[in-house]
Amino acid sequence: MLLISASNSGFSVRKASGERLNNPSGAKVSEDLLNKVVSLAKRRGFIFQSSEIYGGLKSAYDYGPLGVELKRNISNCWWESMVHAREDVVGLDAAIFMHPRVWKASGHLAEFSDPLVDCLNCGGRFRADKAPTLPPESPVTFRAGGKSDGDELQGTVSDRGYICPLCNCPNLSAERQFNLMFRTSIGPVDPLDKAIKKIVHGRMNAKEIRKTVEEALQPSAIYLRPETAQAIFVQYQNVQQSLGMKIPFGIAQIGKAFRNEIITEKFIFRTCEFEQMELEFFVEPGTEGDWLDYWSKARMQWWQTFANSTENFRLRPHEADELAHYASACYDIEYAYPWGWDELEGIASRTDYDLRKHSEESGSKLHFFDQQKEDPETGKPGYRYIPYVIEPSAGLTRGLLVYLLDAYTEEGGKDADGNDKIRKVLKLHPRLAPIKAAILPLVKKEGLPERAEKLSLEFFQSGINARFDAQQSIGKRYAKHDEIGTPFCITVDHQTLEDETVTIRDRDSTEQQRISASQAVQFVLDGLKK
Amino acid sequence: MLLISASNSGFSVRKASGERLNNPSGAKVSEDLLNKVVSLAKRRGFIFQSSEIYGGLKSAYDYGPLGVELKRNISNCWWESMVHAREDVVGLDAAIFMHPRVWKASGHLAEFSDPLVDCLNCGGRFRADKAPTLPPESPVTFRAGGKSDGDELQGTVSDRGYICPLCNCPNLSAERQFNLMFRTSIGPVDPLDKAIKKIVHGRMNAKEIRKTVEEALQPSAIYLRPETAQAIFVQYQNVQQSLGMKIPFGIAQIGKAFRNEIITEKFIFRTCEFEQMELEFFVEPGTEGDWLDYWSKARMQWWQTFANSTENFRLRPHEADELAHYASACYDIEYAYPWGWDELEGIASRTDYDLRKHSEESGSKLHFFDQQKEDPETGKPGYRYIPYVIEPSAGLTRGLLVYLLDAYTEEGGKDADGNDKIRKVLKLHPRLAPIKAAILPLVKKEGLPERAEKLSLEFFQSGINARFDAQQSIGKRYAKHDEIGTPFCITVDHQTLEDETVTIRDRDSTEQQRISASQAVQFVLDGLKK
C-alpha cells in the first residue's frame, strides 16, 4: 500500500516489489535520519528549497554555499576518474535544447509517458502503474470525498485491478498517457496566434480545437531533455571522428535533465530538475556482456570509495520484466536509503538500439569501421558495425543525498561540564568535504586573527578551499565544523606567536596535535589524498 | 546599416553607436578569423552544432571533448578566484525552475521583452530597437518582395523613424512586445484541456479565446530563468543567515540561462541557451561607487590574466541612456571581436532595486542588520538597511569564444623540405588548455608505446589531463597538438630506453629540450603555474 511513496520514474519498467522497501539488515538506518539531514542541509547552507521566500517551488532545490561545493566535489571526482584518468573516455557538454526529431527517434515523444488516472471520489491524481492492486470485482469500502468523516461507501474493483492510493475508491477516470517531457516554444513566434485565428472562424468541436492547437504548436515546439544520454548518441560521429577514437571508447557527460514527474518525493531524491553523470561506452557487438560486468563493478567501487558504510551499497541485476525497451541487461546500484533499498545508478546494456534509431531517422551512418578486423559474416578484411553501448548512468544530485546520509553521524559524549551531549558529525570523505580546513584564531584579539589570516592566505594560494572563522567560542566553532564535515580545524593560539606552531584537530577522532604552522598546508594536502 | 549584426540582448537599453563597430586600431583582427575559429572548433572537437545529424538546431551548440575541458577550465578559474580565494564570497547553485512570482517581482514578466516588427514587403521579422533609423517622411527605394530582381518600389519612412533591416522597406506591421522568457508547464496537468472545454461552449472572439487560454496556462506556467542573478537575490537571506556572512559579502553562481532571442548570431556569441558567471556583491549604501570601481578593475584584470593580447579588452562606462532600469551605473568589459568592440561582461551597480522588489513582493525582510554601526538617520546604535548590490556578470560561453579568438595564431615557417607552410597554433593560457601534455612515442613499435603509456600513467596519477597519442607521424602529432593548444609535447624515443630521458617541446617556441623522464610531471606542473 506504500508503493506510491517508493515509486520510480517512468520509461523503463521497474519492479516495485515489497522487498525493496525493507531496511537492509544490520544497516544503521534511523527513521528520522532523512529529517535530520534535511534540517542540517538547510540550517548549514547545503540545500534550500527553491524560491522559499515565495512559499517555495515544489520539488525544486537550490544548492547553498556548502551544497554547491559538495556537488562540485562529487562531479569533479567522477569527471577525473571517468575522463581524465582514462585514455578511452572523452567528455561532452551538450545543450539542453535539441532538435525535436532527436526525441522522435529515441522514442521519448511517443513513449516517455506515465499512465495518469483521476479518482472520481477524492479528486486525487495518480499513476495507474503505481496504484495498489486488488483482484477485479473485489469489494472495497471507502469514505465519501476521501474524508475521514465522509459517509462509508461500498464499491467493486474494476477489470483494471487497482484502486485510488489516496482513498481506496475503485471508481476512477480512464487512464491517459501523460508525457513527462517539458515542452516550450522557440523562435520569435507566438504559436497560439495562428491557432486562435483558425479556431474563431472554424466552428470546431473540442477534438478539432485540440488538433488545431497541436498543429500550431508543433513547428516551434522544443523540449527540455529528459536525459543527457541522447546528446551523446547524436554527437557520436562528431566526437569519434574529430578525436580519432577507436572502439572500445566512451563519451562522458554531466548535465541537467528535466522530467515533469507526476510524483516528486523524498527531498532531492526525485525532482523535476536533476543532474546526471552519464557515460555511453561504445563496444564491439558480442563484447557487451564483459563490459557490462566491468562497468558495474567499476562504478560500484567508485561509489564505495567515498563512503563510510560500504555495506549500504548493493549491485542488483534487473529481472527480465524490469528491463527498459532498449536494454538487454541492466544492473542497478542501490543504496539503503532511510525508506529502503532504492536506485542510485543504473548500468544498462543498451545494445545498438539508440545509434540504430538515430541512423534510421537522420540518414547518417552511425557506424564504426575497424580496419584491423575481419567482417565476421563475409570473412573479408575490415569490419563495419553499429557499436553496442554500455551506459553507466548516475544521479549526481541523488549521489549528493546518498553521501549526506552516509556521512551523518551522532556520537554520545560529555561536554566541558561533564554533562551528556551529542556530537553531530558529517563524516564526509575529505575529497568531498566542502571546506577542507578551518583556520581559527583562539580568540578575536591579541594579534591572533592577523596571524590566522596569514595562514588562510597560504591555504588559498595552494588551491585548498579553507575558511577563516573567528566568530563564537572555539568549542562552538569546532562543533560547527564537525557538523559541516570540515576534516581539519587549525587553531592559532598564543603559543603560535611564540614558537610558530598551531594545533590541528581531526574531525573524526577529535584528537589534536601540535605541528609547525609552516607544515599545515602540507598536512592537509596529505590528508586529502587518503 | 549593420547595426542588426552587432545587436545586444534585451532588457537593459543599449546604445548601438557606430563607434562600437569599428575595429580597435592596432589590434590584430582578421576578417575571416571567426570563420577559422569556427572551422577549427568543429574539426578538432571543441564545438559542434547541436543535433547536427538532424540538420542542426539553430543557435544551439554542443561542447565537444576539447570544448568541455576549455569551458571547465575557464569556469574553474573563475570559481577559484571568486569563491575559494576570497573570504567574502560564497557560492550558490540554484535550480533553473523558480517560482513564477520571482519574475513578477524582478520585472521580467512585464518588461523582459523586445519590440518585434514584421516587414510587409519581404516578410522579415526584426527588432524595432535594432532597425536602421531614418528621419520620418524620408523617401526610400526598395525592391518588391525583398528580392534583388523585384520591381523597384518607392516609399516614405513613417513616424516611427526606421525601416526594415533586410530590404529597406518602410511599410511595417505594428510593434508588439515579445517576451524573451521561455515558458513551459509543470505538474501532472494539461493546461489546455480546461481552456478548450470553455472555448467550445463559449462562442468567443479571438481576444476572448486568447484570454481564456492565458488564464488556463497561468496556474501551471513556469519559466526558464533568463538570468542566474535573481536566484541569488531570492536566497540572499538563507545564505547570509546560514553562513553568518557580514556585509560586504558576495554570492557567486555559474549556471545556464535561457532567452528566446529574436536574433541569434555570431556562433556562440548570442544563443538562446548560454552560461553565466555572476557575482552579486552586497554592500552598505553609499559605498557602491568604490565597490563598482574595485570590481570593474578586478574583473578586467582577471580576463587579461589569461589573454595574449590584453589590448583587445577594454572597460567602457555606460552612458546614462544605456543604463538598465535597475542600475545607477555600469561598466562593460568589451572585447575586440572580429566585428568590433562588443560585450563580454557587465559590472552594474544595481542599487537596492532587486532586494527591495523581492522584499515587497514576498513580504520577507531582506535586510542586513549591522550591530557595530549607528543608524545614520537616528544616530542610535545598530544600522538596519537593504544592501546595495554590485554585479559583475560575465558570459562563460562568450568568454570561451573570446579566448579561442585571442589564442588563434597563424605563423609563417618552412616545412622539412624547405617549403613555406603555415603553423596554426592555439596559444591558450596553460591553465585553460584542454590537454596539458601530450605523451608521444616516436614510433609505434620497439617498446616505445609501452614506455610512453607508463609515463601517461604518472601524469594521470598527478591529476594532470594528459593524452597518450601514438597515431600518425611525430610531425603531424606536433601540428595537431599545436592546433588544439597543448602546451607541452613529451616524446619518448629510443634514447629514452637507454638513459630515461625524454624530449619536451614547448608549444609557443617549438623549442625542444631533453629532460629526465622522472622530471616530466614536475616540469609540466611548473609550466601550469605561470
Side-chain angles (χ1 to χ4, degrees):
Chain A
M1 292 303 135
L2 272 171
L3 286 181
I4 204 162
S5 66
S7 66
N8 281 285
S9 62
F11 212 24
S12 65
V13 181
R14 311 266 185 200
K15 190 175 185 185
S17 71
E19 188 265 335
R20 299 182 63 197
L21 289 170
N22 295 335
N23 290 332
S25 60
K28 175 207 72 168
V29 176
S30 150
E31 267 189 21
D32 56 357
L33 173 60
L34 186 61
N35 291 336
K36 286 177 174 176
V37 164
V38 171
S39 161
L40 183 147
K42 171 167 161 57
R43 192 174 68 250
R44 289 303 189 186
F46 281 88
I47 306 169
F48 308 124
Q49 192 167 19
S50 167
S51 315
E52 196 184 296
I53 60 171
Y54 291 105
L57 181 67
K58 192 190 151 215
S59 164
Y61 294 91
D62 294 352
Y63 293 84
L66 300 184
V68 60
E69 299 294 341
L70 176 56
K71 187 145 74 76
R72 285 174 68 92
N73 291 340
I74 298 171
S75 75
N76 284 341
C77 283
W78 188 90
W79 193 262
E80 277 159 29
S81 83
M82 290 303 238
V83 182
H84 288 180
R86 300 185 67 104
E87 281 299 339
D88 57 356
V89 175
V90 294
L92 182 73
D93 183 10
I96 287 167
F97 286 156
M98 298 175 73
H99 197 291
R101 281 174 70 196
V102 171
W103 308 116
K104 182 168 175 247
S106 69
H108 283 81
L109 264 179
E111 294 168 48
F112 190 55
S113 51
D114 283 339
L116 201 63
V117 176
D118 289 325
C119 173
L120 303 178
N121 179 45
C122 72
R125 182 162 284 178
F126 61 92
R127 277 173 61 176
D129 58 331
K130 299 292 176 189
T133 54
L134 281 179
E137 299 188 32
S138 314
V140 205
T141 309
F142 57 98
R143 294 278 177 181
K147 290 171 186 161
S148 57
D149 59 351
D151 291 337
E152 195 172 281
L153 303 173
Q154 310 293 330
T156 310
V157 174
S158 75
D159 287 350
R160 288 191 258 155
Y162 59 84
I163 56 175
C164 171
L166 304 169
C167 73
N168 292 341
C169 168
N171 307 330
L172 307 169
S173 78
E175 290 181 13
R176 56 193 187 287
Q177 290 301 314
F178 178 73
N179 196 293
L180 298 184
M181 287 200 293
F182 286 97
R183 177 165 73 173
T184 184
S185 174
I186 195 168
V189 290
D190 181 342
L192 287 174
D193 254 358
K194 211 172 153 186
I196 289 171
K197 273 178 203 153
K198 283 190 186 167
I199 292 165
V200 169
H201 301 110
R203 297 177 175 277
M204 297 174 183
N205 62 30
K207 205 172 161 186
E208 289 161 341
I209 293 177
R210 160 70 64 184
K211 188 162 171 260
T212 306
V213 169
E214 286 298 332
E215 280 173 3
L217 292 177
Q218 198 268 330
S220 65
I222 195 165
Y223 302 87
L224 302 189
R225 64 180 177 199
E227 62 177 32
T228 57
Q230 293 303 322
I232 298 179
F233 297 126
V234 168
Q235 293 292 11
Y236 157 79
Q237 201 171 48
N238 269 334
V239 172
Q240 191 269 318
Q241 290 177 357
S242 61
L243 277 282
M245 301 305 289
K246 296 201 184 315
I247 297 266
F249 79 94
I251 304 176
Q253 183 170 226
I254 299 175
K256 289 206 171 180
F258 300 83
R259 295 179 185 177
N260 197 356
E261 296 280 0
I262 295 170
I263 302 153
T264 54
E265 55 173 355
K266 303 227 164 59
F267 196 33
I268 58 171
F269 180 76
R270 190 185 319 285
T271 51
C272 289
E273 176 179 344
F274 58 105
E275 267 177 277
Q276 296 188 299
M277 307 188 290
E278 292 199 312
L279 170 70
E280 307 299 328
F281 197 76
F282 301 96
V283 306
E284 191 181 319
T287 66
E288 66 273 17
D290 289 345
W291 280 111
L292 178 64
D293 287 346
Y294 169 84
W295 279 113
S296 299
K297 283 179 194 129
R299 293 300 307 145
M300 181 75 174
Q301 208 166 41
W302 185 86
W303 285 110
Q304 290 178 323
T305 301
F306 305 102
N308 296 296
S309 305
T310 53
E311 73 280 8
N312 282 347
F313 296 77
R314 76 175 184 189
L315 197 59
R316 189 181 66 82
H318 274 209
E319 291 168 43
D321 63 349
E322 285 183 276
L323 288 174
H325 62 274
Y326 51 72
S328 64
C330 189
Y331 283 89
D332 270 356
I333 294 176
E334 295 188 326
Y335 180 73
Y337 296 91
W339 59 90
W341 290 106
D342 212 337
E343 193 189 15
L344 169 60
E345 171 162 353
I347 301 107
S349 180
R350 289 181 82 117
T351 71
D352 62 354
Y353 179 86
D354 302 274
L355 287 181
R356 187 173 292 280
K357 286 282 177 189
H358 286 300
S359 289
E360 288 165 9
E361 177 73 19
S362 71
S364 292
K365 289 193 165 52
L366 305 182
H367 292 83
F368 180 76
F369 182 67
D370 191 336
Q371 287 179 307
Q372 315 293 327
K373 292 225 164 129
E374 287 184 351
D375 187 314
E377 284 188 18
T378 65
K380 288 182 184 164
Y383 179 21
R384 185 183 304 276
Y385 58 87
I386 298 185
Y388 271 45
V389 172
I390 302 299
E391 176 195 74
S393 169
L396 168 55
T397 31
R398 206 170 268 189
L400 190 148
L401 174 60
V402 161
Y403 283 129
L404 282 178
L405 291 166
D406 175 76
Y408 186 87
T409 315
E410 294 182 358
E411 291 177 354
K414 302 278 181 194
D415 67 12
D417 301 325
N419 300 318
D420 286 340
K421 68 165 198 174
I422 288 173
R423 188 172 83 103
K424 293 181 185 168
V425 200
L426 212 50
K427 293 193 172 178
L428 288 167
H429 190 283
R431 286 182 65 194
L432 301 189
I435 297 170
K436 308 304 184 190
I439 319 293
L440 314 171
L442 183 65
V443 289
K444 218 174 163 181
K445 53 188 177 183
E446 293 150 13
L448 299 187
E450 292 74 13
R451 181 63 193 87
E453 295 247 37
K454 212 179 121 203
L455 187 57
S456 295
L457 201 65
E458 283 181 48
F459 275 87
F460 295 159
Q461 284 162 352
S462 309
I464 300 171
N465 192 26
R467 211 80 198 164
F468 172 85
D469 194 347
Q471 304 303 320
Q472 299 186 305
S473 74
I474 192 74
K476 283 194 176 164
R477 278 179 277 164
Y478 285 156
K480 177 178 110 181
H481 281 283
D482 284 346
E483 212 180 347
I484 65 175
T486 308
F488 302 104
C489 283
I490 298 163
T491 303
V492 169
D493 55 18
H494 295 95
Q495 194 179 329
T496 310
L497 302 183
E498 289 164 22
D499 65 4
E500 277 294 308
T501 61
V502 293
T503 66
I504 188 156
R505 176 180 177 275
D506 182 85
R507 175 195 68 196
D508 297 344
S509 69
T510 74
E511 277 171 21
Q512 297 184 33
Q513 51 180 303
R514 251 197 128 81
I515 61 168
S516 159
S518 64
Q519 291 172 343
V521 166
Q522 194 56 48
F523 190 100
V524 170
L525 281 175
D526 291 344
L528 296 179
K529 277 188 194 142
K530 84 163 190 188
Chain B
M1 294 300 136
L2 272 169
L3 286 182
I4 204 161
S5 65
S7 67
N8 281 286
S9 62
F11 212 25
S12 66
V13 181
R14 311 267 187 198
K15 189 174 186 185
S17 71
E19 187 264 339
R20 298 181 62 197
L21 290 170
N22 295 335
N23 290 330
S25 61
K28 176 207 70 171
V29 176
S30 151
E31 268 190 17
D32 55 359
L33 174 59
L34 185 61
N35 291 335
K36 286 177 173 175
V37 164
V38 172
S39 161
L40 183 148
K42 172 168 160 59
R43 192 174 68 251
R44 289 302 188 186
F46 281 88
I47 305 170
F48 309 124
Q49 192 167 19
S50 168
S51 316
E52 196 185 296
I53 62 171
Y54 290 106
L57 181 68
K58 191 189 153 221
S59 165
Y61 293 92
D62 294 351
Y63 293 83
L66 300 185
V68 61
E69 298 294 341
L70 176 55
K71 188 145 72 76
R72 285 174 67 92
N73 292 340
I74 298 171
S75 74
N76 284 340
C77 284
W78 188 89
W79 194 263
E80 278 160 28
S81 83
M82 291 301 238
V83 183
H84 288 181
R86 300 184 66 102
E87 282 299 339
D88 57 356
V89 176
V90 294
L92 183 73
D93 183 10
I96 288 166
F97 286 156
M98 297 174 75
H99 197 291
R101 281 174 70 196
V102 172
W103 309 116
K104 181 168 175 250
S106 70
H108 284 82
L109 265 179
E111 295 168 46
F112 190 54
S113 52
D114 283 338
L116 201 63
V117 176
D118 289 325
C119 173
L120 302 178
N121 178 46
C122 73
R125 182 162 286 178
F126 61 93
R127 277 173 61 176
D129 57 330
K130 298 294 175 186
T133 54
L134 281 179
E137 299 190 32
S138 313
V140 205
T141 310
F142 56 98
R143 295 275 179 182
K147 290 172 186 161
S148 58
D149 60 352
D151 292 337
E152 194 171 281
L153 303 173
Q154 311 293 330
T156 309
V157 175
S158 75
D159 287 349
R160 287 191 258 156
Y162 59 84
I163 57 175
C164 170
L166 304 168
C167 74
N168 292 343
C169 169
N171 307 329
L172 308 169
S173 78
E175 289 181 14
R176 58 194 184 286
Q177 290 301 315
F178 178 73
N179 195 294
L180 299 184
M181 286 200 292
F182 285 98
R183 178 166 70 175
T184 185
S185 174
I186 195 167
V189 290
D190 181 343
L192 288 173
D193 255 358
K194 209 171 154 187
I196 288 170
K197 272 178 204 152
K198 284 191 185 167
I199 292 165
V200 168
H201 301 111
R203 297 174 177 278
M204 297 176 185
N205 63 28
K207 206 172 160 185
E208 290 161 342
I209 293 177
R210 160 68 66 184
K211 188 162 170 259
T212 305
V213 169
E214 287 298 332
E215 280 173 2
L217 291 177
Q218 200 268 330
S220 64
I222 195 165
Y223 302 86
L224 303 188
R225 64 179 177 199
E227 62 177 33
T228 56
Q230 293 305 322
I232 297 179
F233 298 126
V234 169
Q235 293 292 10
Y236 157 79
Q237 200 171 47
N238 268 334
V239 171
Q240 190 269 318
Q241 290 178 355
S242 62
L243 276 282
M245 301 303 290
K246 296 201 185 313
I247 297 268
F249 79 94
I251 305 176
Q253 182 171 227
I254 299 175
K256 291 208 170 179
F258 300 82
R259 295 177 185 181
N260 197 356
E261 295 279 0
I262 295 170
I263 300 151
T264 54
E265 55 173 355
K266 302 229 163 59
F267 195 35
I268 57 172
F269 180 75
R270 189 184 319 284
T271 51
C272 290
E273 176 179 345
F274 59 104
E275 267 176 277
Q276 295 188 300
M277 306 187 291
E278 291 198 313
L279 170 70
E280 307 299 328
F281 197 77
F282 302 94
V283 305
E284 191 182 318
T287 66
E288 66 272 19
D290 289 346
W291 281 110
L292 179 64
D293 287 346
Y294 169 84
W295 279 113
S296 299
K297 283 179 195 131
R299 293 300 307 144
M300 180 76 174
Q301 207 166 41
W302 186 86
W303 285 110
Q304 290 179 323
T305 301
F306 305 102
N308 297 295
S309 305
T310 52
E311 72 280 9
N312 282 346
F313 296 77
R314 76 174 183 190
L315 196 58
R316 190 181 66 80
H318 274 209
E319 292 169 40
D321 63 350
E322 285 182 273
L323 289 174
H325 62 276
Y326 50 73
S328 63
C330 189
Y331 283 89
D332 270 356
I333 294 176
E334 297 189 326
Y335 181 74
Y337 296 91
W339 58 89
W341 290 106
D342 214 337
E343 193 190 16
L344 168 61
E345 171 161 354
I347 301 106
S349 180
R350 290 181 82 119
T351 70
D352 60 355
Y353 180 86
D354 301 275
L355 288 181
R356 187 173 291 283
K357 286 282 177 189
H358 287 299
S359 289
E360 289 165 8
E361 177 72 20
S362 71
S364 293
K365 289 193 166 53
L366 305 181
H367 292 81
F368 180 76
F369 182 66
D370 192 335
Q371 287 179 304
Q372 314 293 326
K373 292 227 164 127
E374 286 182 354
D375 187 312
E377 285 187 19
T378 64
K380 288 182 184 162
Y383 180 20
R384 185 183 303 278
Y385 57 88
I386 298 186
Y388 271 46
V389 172
I390 302 299
E391 175 195 74
S393 169
L396 168 55
T397 32
R398 204 169 268 189
L400 190 148
L401 174 60
V402 161
Y403 283 128
L404 282 178
L405 291 165
D406 175 76
Y408 185 87
T409 315
E410 294 183 357
E411 292 177 351
K414 302 279 182 191
D415 68 11
D417 301 326
N419 299 317
D420 288 338
K421 69 161 197 176
I422 288 172
R423 186 173 86 103
K424 293 180 186 168
V425 201
L426 213 50
K427 293 192 171 177
L428 288 168
H429 190 283
R431 286 183 64 193
L432 300 189
I435 298 171
K436 308 304 186 191
I439 319 293
L440 314 171
L442 182 65
V443 290
K444 215 174 162 180
K445 54 188 177 184
E446 293 151 13
L448 299 188
E450 291 74 12
R451 182 63 193 86
E453 295 248 36
K454 210 179 122 204
L455 187 57
S456 295
L457 200 64
E458 282 181 47
F459 276 87
F460 294 159
Q461 284 162 351
S462 308
I464 300 171
N465 191 25
R467 212 78 199 166
F468 172 84
D469 193 348
Q471 306 301 320
Q472 300 185 304
S473 74
I474 192 75
K476 283 192 175 164
R477 277 179 279 163
Y478 285 156
K480 179 179 110 182
H481 282 282
D482 284 346
E483 214 180 345
I484 65 176
T486 308
F488 302 104
C489 282
I490 297 163
T491 303
V492 169
D493 56 18
H494 294 95
Q495 195 179 327
T496 310
L497 303 184
E498 288 165 22
D499 65 3
E500 277 293 309
T501 61
V502 293
T503 66
I504 188 155
R505 176 181 177 275
D506 181 85
R507 175 195 69 195
D508 297 344
S509 69
T510 76
E511 276 171 21
Q512 297 184 31
Q513 50 178 304
R514 257 203 121 77
I515 61 168
S516 159
S518 64
Q519 292 172 343
V521 165
Q522 195 56 49
F523 190 100
V524 170
L525 282 175
D526 292 343
L528 296 179
K529 278 188 195 142
K530 84 162 191 188

